[in-house]
């Protein structure tokens, strides 16, 4: 697939045609994604490919309340789990989470973990939560989503499982000093994306300073 096309059309697929994704396809996708960059080329990733119905339903069970809180907050106009001013809702309502319904319909479910000993967090001691830590793992996650396109597959990256890491870690055999970074669901998409909604370059790129003049073509 042409790179320009892939970058412009790799949207988040959440509806899939039932089709078993083979180990060999997942292997091929990871075999491309492993060329992602990481700080110091430390390649801090581990991937648990969830195959058993038991592990998938455990992950679904853990994720559902996090989704419910996210949706409850979103419905009340809040950006849930934001690190600046998040007020958890007093009461959480249940919301359908269609993605989880696909867990027994042939999709691939990959849990990505990162080895914290291998990540240089250069903004660790600032007076705000660090953001650089993720930079050595999310390019790898994105490469999985891009590489999947080469196999006619699409999917979505989610991070809700991270919130349950204390409980999910032992269930998944998460090694000490590893963090749960993402859960990626991949499958044959119900429909292809042709146009993604994104801001124009002029709205976010400026010259010299963030309050400088807009960069134009
Ligand atoms: C860090 C991150 C977390 C995300 N978490 C979720 C999620 O939990 N559930 C979900 O359905 N989509 C999730 N997404 C996908 C975004 O919702 C999606 O990229 C965005 O809405 C743009 O949609 P589009 O790519 O289809 O245009 C996540 C994406 C990123 C990068």
């Amino acid at each position: 697939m042409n790179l320009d096309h892939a970058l412009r059309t790799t949207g988040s697929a959440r509806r899939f045609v039932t089709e078993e994704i083979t180990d060999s396809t997942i292997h091929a996708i990871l075999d491309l994604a492993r060329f992602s960059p990481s700080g110091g080329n430390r390649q801090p990733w581990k991937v648990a490919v969830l195959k058993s119905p038991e592990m998938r339903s455990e992950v679904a069970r853990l994720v559902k309340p996090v989704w419910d809180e996210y949706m409850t907050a979103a419905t009340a106009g809040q950006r849930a789990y934001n690190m600046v001013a998040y007020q958890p809702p007093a009461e959480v309502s249940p919301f359908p989470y269609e993605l989880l319904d696909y867990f027994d319909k042939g999709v691939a479910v990959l849990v990505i973990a990162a080895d914290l000993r291998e990540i240089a967090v250069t903004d660790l001691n600032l007076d705000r939560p660090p953001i650089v830590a993720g930079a050595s793992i999310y390019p790898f996650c994105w490469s999985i989503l891009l590489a999947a396109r080469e196999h006619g597959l699409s999917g979505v990256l989610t991070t809700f499982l991270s919130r349950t890491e204390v409980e999910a870690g032992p269930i998944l055999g998460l090694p000490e000093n590893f963090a749960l970074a993402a859960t990626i669901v991949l499958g044959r998409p119900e429909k292809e994306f042709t146009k993604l909604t994104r801001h124009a370059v002029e709205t976010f790129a400026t010259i010299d300073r963030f309050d400088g003049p807009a960069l134009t073509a």
Side-chain angles (χ1 to χ4, degrees), residues 101-112:
D101 297 340
Y102 286 96
F103 274 26
D104 57 5
K105 296 192 183 97
V107 294
V109 182
L110 312 181
V111 180
I112 321 299

Side-chain angles (χ1 to χ4, degrees), residues 69-147:
E69 182 179 330
Y70 177 88
M71 289 303 293
T72 303
T75 307
Q78 272 212 79
R79 181 74 185 130
Y81 306 132
N82 83 75
M83 48 188 167
V84 178
Y86 177 50
Q87 304 282 340
E91 261 184 52
V92 171
S93 311
F95 282 83
Y97 193 6
E98 198 186 358
L99 186 65
L100 301 180
D101 297 340
Y102 286 96
F103 274 26
D104 57 5
K105 296 192 183 97
V107 294
V109 182
L110 312 181
V111 180
I112 321 299
D115 185 344
L116 298 178
R117 290 163 305 188
E118 297 291 1
I119 295 178
V121 188
T122 48
D123 61 347
L124 188 60
N125 296 315
L126 299 184
D127 189 20
R128 60 153 176 80
I131 195 165
V132 171
S136 275
I137 195 75
Y138 292 113
F140 173 70
C141 295
W142 176 232
S143 293
I144 291 174
L145 289 163
L146 281 176

Side-chain angles (χ1 to χ4, degrees), residues 10-12 14 67 97 156-160 193 196-198:
T10 302
S12 298
R14 302 183 183 86
W67 167 258
Y97 193 6
V156 61
L157 182 158
T158 74
T159 57
F160 292 146
F193 290 89
L196 304 180
T197 309
R198 299 291 188 267

